Short mmCIF file of all heavy atoms in Angstrom, two decimals:
data_model
loop_
_atom_site.label_atom_id
_atom_site.label_comp_id
_atom_site.label_asym_id
_atom_site.label_seq_id
_atom_site.Cartn_x
_atom_site.Cartn_y
_atom_site.Cartn_z
N LEU A 195 19.46 3.07 16.07
CA LEU A 195 18.19 3.90 15.81
C LEU A 195 17.91 4.56 17.11
O LEU A 195 17.98 3.96 18.21
CB LEU A 195 16.98 3.07 15.45
CG LEU A 195 17.25 2.18 14.16
CD1 LEU A 195 15.93 1.29 14.13
CD2 LEU A 195 17.25 3.08 13.04
N THR A 197 14.99 5.75 19.01
CA THR A 197 13.50 5.57 18.99
C THR A 197 12.67 6.81 19.09
O THR A 197 11.70 6.87 18.43
CB THR A 197 13.04 4.67 20.12
OG1 THR A 197 13.76 4.89 21.26
CG2 THR A 197 13.29 3.22 19.75
N MET A 200 12.88 8.28 15.70
CA MET A 200 12.09 7.53 14.71
C MET A 200 10.60 7.82 14.74
O MET A 200 9.87 7.60 13.75
CB MET A 200 12.36 5.97 14.91
CG MET A 200 13.69 5.49 14.50
SD MET A 200 14.08 6.19 12.83
CE MET A 200 12.79 5.32 11.88
N VAL A 204 7.31 8.48 9.18
CA VAL A 204 6.03 7.70 8.92
C VAL A 204 6.05 6.32 9.45
O VAL A 204 5.01 5.90 10.12
CB VAL A 204 5.72 7.81 7.41
CG1 VAL A 204 4.65 6.97 7.02
CG2 VAL A 204 5.54 9.17 6.93
N ALA A 205 7.22 5.68 9.23
CA ALA A 205 7.26 4.28 9.78
C ALA A 205 8.39 4.20 10.86
O ALA A 205 9.50 4.35 10.50
CB ALA A 205 7.57 3.28 8.59
N SER A 206 7.94 3.98 12.11
CA SER A 206 9.07 4.00 13.05
C SER A 206 9.66 2.61 13.28
O SER A 206 10.60 2.41 14.10
CB SER A 206 8.48 4.46 14.46
OG SER A 206 7.28 3.70 14.64
N ASN A 207 9.27 1.65 12.27
CA ASN A 207 9.88 0.34 12.38
C ASN A 207 10.94 0.22 11.26
O ASN A 207 11.17 -0.90 10.85
CB ASN A 207 8.80 -0.70 12.08
CG ASN A 207 8.11 -0.44 10.82
OD1 ASN A 207 8.12 0.64 10.26
ND2 ASN A 207 7.53 -1.56 10.25
N PHE A 208 11.60 1.32 11.00
CA PHE A 208 12.39 1.43 9.74
C PHE A 208 13.98 1.67 10.20
O PHE A 208 14.15 2.66 10.88
CB PHE A 208 11.85 2.60 8.99
CG PHE A 208 12.50 2.75 7.48
CD1 PHE A 208 11.67 2.63 6.51
CD2 PHE A 208 13.76 3.16 7.38
CE1 PHE A 208 12.16 2.78 5.28
CE2 PHE A 208 14.34 3.25 6.14
CZ PHE A 208 13.45 3.14 5.00
N GLY A 209 14.72 0.71 9.77
CA GLY A 209 16.17 0.91 10.18
C GLY A 209 17.01 1.13 9.02
O GLY A 209 16.57 0.83 7.77
N THR A 210 18.22 1.64 9.11
CA THR A 210 19.11 1.76 7.94
C THR A 210 20.43 1.11 8.38
O THR A 210 20.80 1.15 9.59
CB THR A 210 19.49 3.24 7.63
OG1 THR A 210 20.14 3.82 8.79
CG2 THR A 210 18.26 4.02 7.39
N ILE A 211 21.20 0.42 7.41
CA ILE A 211 22.38 -0.20 7.57
C ILE A 211 23.17 0.14 6.30
O ILE A 211 22.68 -0.21 5.28
CB ILE A 211 22.46 -1.57 8.06
CG1 ILE A 211 21.68 -1.83 9.29
CG2 ILE A 211 23.83 -2.10 8.12
CD1 ILE A 211 21.57 -3.31 9.77
N ALA A 245 22.83 -7.01 14.98
CA ALA A 245 22.10 -5.81 15.09
C ALA A 245 20.65 -5.91 14.76
O ALA A 245 19.80 -5.33 15.48
CB ALA A 245 22.73 -4.74 14.27
N ILE A 246 20.43 -6.68 13.77
CA ILE A 246 18.94 -6.89 13.36
C ILE A 246 18.20 -7.62 14.36
O ILE A 246 17.06 -7.19 14.70
CB ILE A 246 19.02 -7.63 11.99
CG1 ILE A 246 19.50 -6.71 10.84
CG2 ILE A 246 17.48 -8.11 11.60
CD1 ILE A 246 19.48 -7.36 9.49
N ARG A 247 18.79 -8.68 14.93
CA ARG A 247 18.15 -9.37 16.03
C ARG A 247 17.89 -8.41 17.27
O ARG A 247 16.71 -8.46 17.78
CB ARG A 247 19.04 -10.49 16.61
CG ARG A 247 18.65 -11.79 16.30
CD ARG A 247 19.57 -12.85 16.95
NE ARG A 247 20.04 -13.82 16.01
CZ ARG A 247 21.13 -13.97 15.41
NH1 ARG A 247 22.09 -13.16 15.79
NH2 ARG A 247 21.36 -14.90 14.52
N GLU A 248 18.88 -7.60 17.60
CA GLU A 248 18.71 -6.78 18.74
C GLU A 248 17.62 -5.72 18.38
O GLU A 248 16.73 -5.44 19.33
CB GLU A 248 19.97 -6.01 18.95
CG GLU A 248 20.06 -4.98 20.08
CD GLU A 248 20.05 -5.63 21.49
OE1 GLU A 248 19.99 -6.88 21.55
OE2 GLU A 248 19.93 -4.80 22.44
N ASN A 249 17.57 -5.14 17.23
CA ASN A 249 16.61 -4.06 16.97
C ASN A 249 15.14 -4.72 16.82
O ASN A 249 14.20 -4.07 17.21
CB ASN A 249 16.85 -3.46 15.50
CG ASN A 249 17.88 -2.50 15.58
OD1 ASN A 249 18.21 -1.97 16.62
ND2 ASN A 249 18.59 -2.19 14.36
N TRP A 250 15.09 -5.95 16.38
CA TRP A 250 13.79 -6.70 16.35
C TRP A 250 13.23 -6.89 17.78
O TRP A 250 12.03 -6.68 18.09
CB TRP A 250 14.01 -7.95 15.60
CG TRP A 250 12.91 -8.94 15.75
CD1 TRP A 250 12.59 -9.84 16.64
CD2 TRP A 250 11.89 -9.14 14.85
NE1 TRP A 250 11.51 -10.64 16.49
CE2 TRP A 250 10.99 -10.12 15.23
CE3 TRP A 250 11.47 -8.44 13.62
CZ2 TRP A 250 9.83 -10.57 14.56
CZ3 TRP A 250 10.32 -8.89 12.89
CH2 TRP A 250 9.49 -9.83 13.41
N ARG A 251 14.11 -7.31 18.63
CA ARG A 251 13.72 -7.65 19.99
C ARG A 251 13.38 -6.43 20.79
O ARG A 251 12.38 -6.35 21.48
CB ARG A 251 14.89 -8.37 20.66
CG ARG A 251 14.42 -9.30 21.81
CD ARG A 251 15.74 -10.10 22.35
NE ARG A 251 17.01 -9.33 22.41
CZ ARG A 251 17.32 -8.52 23.45
NH1 ARG A 251 16.41 -8.37 24.32
NH2 ARG A 251 18.50 -7.89 23.41
N ARG A 252 14.22 -5.44 20.59
CA ARG A 252 13.98 -4.13 21.51
C ARG A 252 12.91 -3.17 20.86
O ARG A 252 12.15 -2.69 21.64
CB ARG A 252 15.18 -3.45 21.60
CG ARG A 252 16.13 -4.05 22.78
CD ARG A 252 16.71 -3.00 23.59
NE ARG A 252 18.13 -2.82 23.13
CZ ARG A 252 18.82 -1.67 23.32
NH1 ARG A 252 18.15 -0.67 23.95
NH2 ARG A 252 20.05 -1.61 22.97
N ASN A 253 12.95 -2.95 19.55
CA ASN A 253 12.21 -1.87 19.05
C ASN A 253 11.12 -2.37 17.96
O ASN A 253 10.63 -1.58 17.26
CB ASN A 253 13.07 -0.78 18.47
CG ASN A 253 13.93 -0.14 19.44
OD1 ASN A 253 13.64 -0.04 20.68
ND2 ASN A 253 15.19 0.10 19.05
N HIS A 254 11.13 -3.71 17.75
CA HIS A 254 10.50 -4.27 16.66
C HIS A 254 10.66 -3.69 15.33
O HIS A 254 9.76 -3.43 14.51
CB HIS A 254 8.83 -4.27 16.93
CG HIS A 254 8.23 -5.49 16.27
ND1 HIS A 254 8.30 -6.81 16.51
CD2 HIS A 254 7.55 -5.52 15.09
CE1 HIS A 254 7.76 -7.54 15.66
NE2 HIS A 254 7.33 -6.66 14.77
N VAL A 255 11.94 -3.42 14.96
CA VAL A 255 12.29 -2.94 13.62
C VAL A 255 12.16 -4.16 12.72
O VAL A 255 12.91 -5.05 12.87
CB VAL A 255 13.71 -2.25 13.68
CG1 VAL A 255 14.07 -1.84 12.28
CG2 VAL A 255 13.75 -1.12 14.66
N ASP A 256 11.46 -3.97 11.67
CA ASP A 256 11.23 -5.00 10.74
C ASP A 256 11.34 -4.77 9.26
O ASP A 256 11.15 -5.49 8.35
CB ASP A 256 9.82 -5.78 10.94
CG ASP A 256 8.74 -4.88 10.76
OD1 ASP A 256 9.03 -3.73 10.35
OD2 ASP A 256 7.54 -5.26 10.80
N PHE A 257 11.89 -3.40 9.12
CA PHE A 257 12.08 -3.08 7.75
C PHE A 257 13.46 -2.28 7.66
O PHE A 257 13.68 -1.36 8.47
CB PHE A 257 10.94 -2.14 7.11
CG PHE A 257 11.15 -2.07 5.62
CD1 PHE A 257 10.63 -3.04 4.79
CD2 PHE A 257 11.75 -0.92 5.06
CE1 PHE A 257 10.83 -2.99 3.36
CE2 PHE A 257 11.89 -0.91 3.61
CZ PHE A 257 11.54 -1.98 2.88
N TYR A 258 14.29 -2.58 6.65
CA TYR A 258 15.57 -1.93 6.56
C TYR A 258 15.84 -1.34 5.20
O TYR A 258 15.40 -1.96 4.19
CB TYR A 258 16.75 -2.97 6.85
CG TYR A 258 16.97 -3.24 8.27
CD1 TYR A 258 16.10 -4.19 8.92
CD2 TYR A 258 17.68 -2.44 9.11
CE1 TYR A 258 16.25 -4.46 10.25
CE2 TYR A 258 17.85 -2.62 10.46
CZ TYR A 258 17.03 -3.67 11.09
OH TYR A 258 17.17 -3.87 12.39
N PHE A 259 16.63 -0.30 5.15
CA PHE A 259 17.12 0.28 3.87
C PHE A 259 18.66 0.03 4.06
O PHE A 259 19.34 0.59 4.85
CB PHE A 259 16.85 1.73 3.79
CG PHE A 259 17.39 2.45 2.61
CD1 PHE A 259 17.88 1.78 1.58
CD2 PHE A 259 17.47 3.90 2.51
CE1 PHE A 259 18.37 2.35 0.45
CE2 PHE A 259 17.96 4.54 1.51
CZ PHE A 259 18.48 3.82 0.34
N PHE A 260 19.05 -0.90 3.15
CA PHE A 260 20.57 -1.14 3.12
C PHE A 260 21.10 -0.10 2.09
O PHE A 260 20.92 -0.16 0.90
CB PHE A 260 20.81 -2.53 2.62
CG PHE A 260 20.41 -3.59 3.58
CD1 PHE A 260 20.17 -4.98 3.08
CD2 PHE A 260 20.46 -3.36 4.90
CE1 PHE A 260 19.75 -5.94 3.98
CE2 PHE A 260 20.06 -4.44 5.75
CZ PHE A 260 19.63 -5.68 5.40
N LEU A 278 20.18 -13.61 6.55
CA LEU A 278 18.87 -13.19 6.75
C LEU A 278 17.88 -14.30 6.53
O LEU A 278 16.78 -14.39 7.20
CB LEU A 278 18.58 -12.01 5.76
CG LEU A 278 19.40 -10.69 5.93
CD1 LEU A 278 19.22 -9.79 4.82
CD2 LEU A 278 18.82 -10.05 7.15
N LEU A 281 17.61 -16.08 9.68
CA LEU A 281 16.83 -15.31 10.61
C LEU A 281 15.22 -15.44 10.37
O LEU A 281 14.47 -15.65 11.32
CB LEU A 281 17.06 -13.81 10.53
CG LEU A 281 18.50 -13.36 11.09
CD1 LEU A 281 18.57 -11.76 11.08
CD2 LEU A 281 18.53 -13.75 12.53
N ARG A 282 15.01 -15.34 9.12
CA ARG A 282 13.59 -15.42 8.73
C ARG A 282 12.92 -16.92 8.82
O ARG A 282 11.91 -17.05 9.28
CB ARG A 282 13.32 -15.01 7.31
CG ARG A 282 13.47 -13.48 7.09
CD ARG A 282 13.62 -13.14 5.63
NE ARG A 282 12.47 -13.51 4.76
CZ ARG A 282 11.40 -12.80 4.70
NH1 ARG A 282 11.24 -11.72 5.41
NH2 ARG A 282 10.43 -13.25 4.02
N GLN A 286 12.33 -17.10 12.89
CA GLN A 286 11.02 -16.37 12.81
C GLN A 286 11.21 -14.81 13.06
O GLN A 286 10.36 -14.23 13.56
CB GLN A 286 10.00 -16.87 13.71
CG GLN A 286 9.19 -18.12 13.21
CD GLN A 286 10.10 -19.40 13.09
OE1 GLN A 286 10.70 -19.67 14.16
NE2 GLN A 286 10.20 -19.95 12.03
N ILE A 287 12.27 -14.33 12.66
CA ILE A 287 12.49 -12.85 12.60
C ILE A 287 12.25 -12.29 11.20
O ILE A 287 13.06 -12.52 10.32
CB ILE A 287 13.91 -12.37 13.10
CG1 ILE A 287 14.10 -12.91 14.54
CG2 ILE A 287 14.16 -10.94 12.90
CD1 ILE A 287 15.39 -12.63 15.13
N ASP A 288 11.04 -11.92 11.10
CA ASP A 288 10.45 -11.62 9.74
C ASP A 288 10.84 -10.17 9.19
O ASP A 288 9.96 -9.36 9.09
CB ASP A 288 8.96 -11.85 9.79
CG ASP A 288 8.36 -11.68 8.30
OD1 ASP A 288 9.04 -11.84 7.36
OD2 ASP A 288 7.16 -11.32 8.25
N VAL A 289 12.06 -9.94 8.94
CA VAL A 289 12.54 -8.67 8.46
C VAL A 289 12.50 -8.66 6.97
O VAL A 289 12.73 -9.65 6.31
CB VAL A 289 13.90 -8.29 8.98
CG1 VAL A 289 13.96 -7.88 10.45
CG2 VAL A 289 14.92 -9.35 8.67
N LYS A 290 12.14 -7.43 6.42
CA LYS A 290 12.20 -7.16 5.04
C LYS A 290 13.18 -6.00 4.77
O LYS A 290 13.56 -5.28 5.76
CB LYS A 290 10.83 -6.85 4.52
CG LYS A 290 9.75 -7.97 4.80
CD LYS A 290 8.54 -7.83 3.94
CE LYS A 290 7.68 -9.02 4.04
NZ LYS A 290 7.01 -9.08 5.36
N PHE A 291 13.56 -5.83 3.50
CA PHE A 291 14.52 -4.73 3.26
C PHE A 291 14.37 -4.29 1.80
O PHE A 291 13.90 -4.97 0.88
CB PHE A 291 15.89 -5.13 3.63
CG PHE A 291 16.45 -6.19 2.78
CD1 PHE A 291 17.17 -5.87 1.61
CD2 PHE A 291 16.30 -7.53 3.07
CE1 PHE A 291 17.70 -6.90 0.75
CE2 PHE A 291 16.81 -8.51 2.25
CZ PHE A 291 17.49 -8.27 1.14
N MET A 292 14.95 -3.07 1.46
CA MET A 292 15.04 -2.54 0.20
C MET A 292 16.64 -2.27 -0.02
O MET A 292 17.35 -1.93 1.09
CB MET A 292 14.33 -1.39 -0.24
CG MET A 292 14.54 -0.15 0.58
SD MET A 292 13.35 1.04 0.11
CE MET A 292 13.88 2.47 1.03
N ALA A 312 15.55 -13.65 1.32
CA ALA A 312 16.09 -12.95 2.37
C ALA A 312 15.26 -11.76 2.84
O ALA A 312 15.39 -11.20 3.94
CB ALA A 312 17.55 -12.37 1.99
N GLY A 313 14.17 -11.52 2.12
CA GLY A 313 13.19 -10.63 2.44
C GLY A 313 13.11 -9.24 1.68
O GLY A 313 12.63 -8.24 2.07
N CYS A 314 13.82 -9.23 0.47
CA CYS A 314 13.94 -8.01 -0.29
C CYS A 314 12.61 -7.76 -0.85
O CYS A 314 11.95 -8.65 -1.53
CB CYS A 314 15.10 -8.17 -1.30
SG CYS A 314 15.25 -6.62 -2.38
N THR A 315 12.11 -6.59 -0.67
CA THR A 315 10.74 -6.19 -1.39
C THR A 315 10.87 -5.17 -2.46
O THR A 315 10.01 -4.94 -3.27
CB THR A 315 9.82 -5.68 -0.28
OG1 THR A 315 10.48 -4.41 0.28
CG2 THR A 315 9.49 -6.62 0.84
N LYS A 316 11.99 -4.41 -2.36
CA LYS A 316 12.27 -3.44 -3.41
C LYS A 316 13.66 -3.17 -3.75
O LYS A 316 14.53 -3.23 -2.78
CB LYS A 316 11.53 -2.12 -2.90
CG LYS A 316 11.66 -1.05 -3.99
CD LYS A 316 11.28 0.27 -3.50
CE LYS A 316 9.70 0.42 -3.48
NZ LYS A 316 9.28 1.68 -3.08
N ARG A 464 2.03 -9.54 -3.67
CA ARG A 464 2.97 -9.51 -2.59
C ARG A 464 3.46 -8.04 -2.47
O ARG A 464 3.80 -7.53 -1.41
CB ARG A 464 4.21 -10.35 -2.94
CG ARG A 464 5.29 -10.36 -1.96
CD ARG A 464 6.44 -11.19 -2.38
NE ARG A 464 7.37 -11.41 -1.42
CZ ARG A 464 8.66 -11.07 -1.45
NH1 ARG A 464 9.21 -10.46 -2.47
NH2 ARG A 464 9.51 -11.29 -0.49
N LYS A 471 1.51 2.60 -1.92
CA LYS A 471 1.85 3.58 -0.91
C LYS A 471 3.07 4.46 -1.46
O LYS A 471 3.16 5.70 -1.14
CB LYS A 471 2.35 2.89 0.41
CG LYS A 471 1.17 2.33 1.06
CD LYS A 471 1.61 1.60 2.43
CE LYS A 471 0.43 1.01 3.13
NZ LYS A 471 0.79 0.19 4.16
#
Side-chain angles (χ1 to χ4, degrees):
L195 301 170
T197 39
M200 284 315 294
V204 173
S206 51
N207 58 339
F208 191 111
T210 63
I211 301 180
I246 291 178
R247 247 186 233 110
E248 177 72 4
N249 283 339
W250 168 271
R251 203 172 44 78
R252 277 223 263 152
N253 304 321
H254 203 78
V255 176
D256 60 2
F257 193 84
Y258 283 87
F259 176 15
F260 293 153
L278 289 172
L281 284 186
R282 287 164 61 81
Q286 276 68 53
I287 297 181
D288 184 21
V289 284
K290 298 194 174 72
F291 65 92
M292 62 181 183
C314 181
T315 58
K316 184 187 276 184
R464 185 180 188 243
K471 284 178 183 174

